[in-house]
Amino acid sequence: MKAYKIAAINGDGIGNEIVPAAMEVMEVAAKKFAFTLETTSFDYGAKYYLKHGDFIAPGALDELKKFDAILFGAVGLPEVDDRLPFRLFTNLVRTSFNQYVNYRPCKLLEGINSPLRSKTQKDIDLVIIRENNEGEFVQNGRVLYPDEPYGLATDTNVFTRAGITRIAHYAFQLARKRRKHMTNVTKSNTMIHTLYYWDKVIDEVREQYPDVEYRKMYIDAATANFVLKPEIFDVLLTTNMLGDILSDLGGAIMGSLGYGGSGNINPEREFPSMFEPIHGSAPDIQGKNIANPYGQFLSAAYLLEHIGEAEAAKAIVAAVNESTTAGILSVDCGGSSSTTDITKSVIERMK
């Protein structure tokens, strides 16, 4: 029987409810498909920062390297500076573990009515591949003379040939496994150096994938088409910041950010990959048992698929869709089910 070591990091807010719920679902899947999960929980996040002055413990990255994958909830609290969670936790893990792929599927769940009233599950079925280690979020900048009339602030984007090449190969290879269509979402008509270079390198890579239909689309046109014609998309490749924004729009057309899961992936598996829902920590509803755990469950499914348990992953996704079809929805999504109710529903549909 295969055994996998999983690090569970609840983080903050509702992460303390939905990560344990997802672990319950994963344990049922493991039993059903004859493998075991050895789970270790870590209390890292903004709450940890308030106690210890940092988001993770000294030596934590070395400890986390020992795991096959990381299941993460969300990070952030109102009393902690908003600039810190990304720098001291999320981005730290993503860059330290070379998780250069941010994998964000956007597929309408069964039984859910999209805000796009004429669109169905067939229409809303795409994957956003976001470059995760470079681009706009490298935090390469500074503020000079902030309180003076001549004060200024800079943030400089960084794009490398190696970084663009590897994410482009990942996106094209994923497109080959899906519907063989890849859209490069860019803004090279105004960012004439960095994103022109981004486009140039992707153009070079695409020559190795003649079987994949390729299209370049500016971000403003892509956002409009997400609403008007989401069915034209299959795999989208874009930059760190553009992908971050586009992913939330993807969650919105699915009906809720609570339905979106994601993976921060190191494809070479030199380091563990980290899987998390796309929503935030929502500390205002923590402890009320009303958080929507579906995005966390889907993230758990992506984790299992990544470590090689594809059938277990499919079973979780199927159970989620059966549950949403049955109308087992959280209050914020128009239902009346608690976090516990939804968890129970998904588990029952996996047996």
Side-chain angles (χ1 to χ4, degrees):
M1 183 177 289
K2 292 183 179 179
Y4 303 96
K5 294 182 65 178
I6 306 299
I9 303 177
N10 295 354
D12 302 302
I14 59 173
N16 293 288
E17 297 161 70
I18 60 177
V19 172
M23 289 306 307
E24 288 184 53
V25 170
M26 291 174 68
E27 288 290 353
V28 173
K31 185 176 181 179
K32 181 178 176 66
F33 292 94
F35 62 91
T36 62
L37 299 172
E38 300 174 9
T39 305
T40 304
S41 295
F42 298 90
D43 62 348
Y44 303 145
K47 185 177 179 181
Y48 186 91
Y49 170 81
L50 291 173
K51 292 181 179 179
H52 304 283
D54 203 347
F55 278 69
I56 62 174
L61 292 174
D62 287 333
E63 180 69 17
L64 290 172
K65 284 180 186 178
K66 302 173 185 177
F67 291 85
D68 294 300
I70 303 166
L71 185 68
F72 173 54
V75 65
L77 291 172
E79 56 266 44
V80 174
D81 187 333
D82 277 348
R83 295 172 296 174
L84 298 181
F86 179 76
R87 180 165 64 89
L88 298 180
F89 182 81
T90 313
N91 194 53
L92 177 65
V93 174
R94 290 173 180 174
T95 54
S96 298
F97 291 164
N98 207 15
Q99 297 167 349
Y100 62 86
V101 173
N102 189 271
Y103 171 80
R104 295 198 173 191
C106 172
K107 184 173 183 178
L108 186 64
L109 294 172
E110 294 176 11
I112 301 298
N113 293 320
S114 169
L116 309 179
R117 289 177 293 177
S118 64
K119 304 301 180 181
T120 66
Q121 191 178 55
K122 182 180 178 181
D123 300 312
I124 302 174
D125 181 7
L126 56 93
V127 179
I128 299 166
I129 298 300
R130 164 187 163 194
E131 200 292 316
N132 214 26
N133 285 171
E134 297 186 352
E136 306 90 344
F137 288 174
V138 295
Q139 301 190 334
N140 180 32
R142 61 185 302 188
V143 178
L144 292 172
Y145 315 114
D147 300 321
E148 301 295 337
Y150 48 83
L152 63 92
T154 65
D155 270 302
T156 304
N157 300 348
V158 175
F159 291 88
T160 67
R161 172 171 288 275
I164 301 166
T165 298
R166 65 187 183 180
I167 195 69
H169 277 296
Y170 186 93
F172 277 109
Q173 289 167 14
L174 178 62
R176 272 183 171 170
K177 298 174 184 177
R178 287 174 52 89
R179 301 192 300 275
K180 297 188 177 181
H181 190 286
M182 205 277 278
T183 302
N184 165 27
V185 179
T186 182
K187 193 56 178 170
S188 51
N189 58 335
T190 55
M191 300 182 71
I192 62 173
H193 301 296
T194 53
L195 292 191
Y196 171 79
Y197 189 58
W198 165 272
D199 292 349
K200 179 181 184 297
V201 175
I202 293 172
D203 275 335
E204 294 171 6
V205 173
R206 76 175 174 123
E207 294 178 1
Q208 301 177 45
Y209 301 89
D211 55 320
V212 177
E213 183 181 353
Y214 172 77
R215 168 177 57 206
K216 183 176 77 172
M217 186 178 293
Y218 295 133
I219 181 63
D220 39 352
T223 54
N225 281 315
F226 255 50
V227 176
L228 298 173
K229 297 183 289 185
E231 65 274 11
I232 70 173
F233 296 115
D234 179 19
V235 174
L236 298 94
L237 170 61
T238 193
T239 71
N240 213 333
M241 185 172 74
L242 299 185
D244 193 23
I245 297 167
L246 204 56
S247 296
D248 277 14
L249 180 56
I253 66 174
M254 291 169 64
S256 171
L257 295 187
Y259 295 141
S262 74
N264 303 284
I265 298 173
N266 172 246
E268 295 78 16
R269 302 194 184 189
E270 299 167 330
F271 301 98
S273 296
M274 181 169 68
F275 299 82
E276 58 180 308
I278 68 172
H279 58 70
S281 57
D284 56 315
I285 63 169
Q286 180 183 0
K288 297 182 180 180
N289 198 28
I290 59 173
N292 180 357
Y294 282 127
Q296 189 78 65
F297 295 167
L298 292 172
S299 300
Y302 305 151
L303 184 158
L304 292 179
E305 182 179 25
H306 176 73
I307 64 176
E309 297 296 339
E311 293 305 311
K314 290 178 184 177
I316 292 177
V317 173
V320 166
N321 277 280
E322 288 181 20
S323 187
T324 55
T325 300
I328 311 299
L329 307 177
S330 56
V331 174
D332 63 301
C333 293
S336 58
S337 300
S338 66
T339 307
T340 303
D341 293 333
I342 296 171
T343 305
K344 181 180 178 182
S345 174
V346 170
I347 288 174
E348 287 175 347
R349 285 165 170 79
M350 290 181 59
K351 292 182 179 178

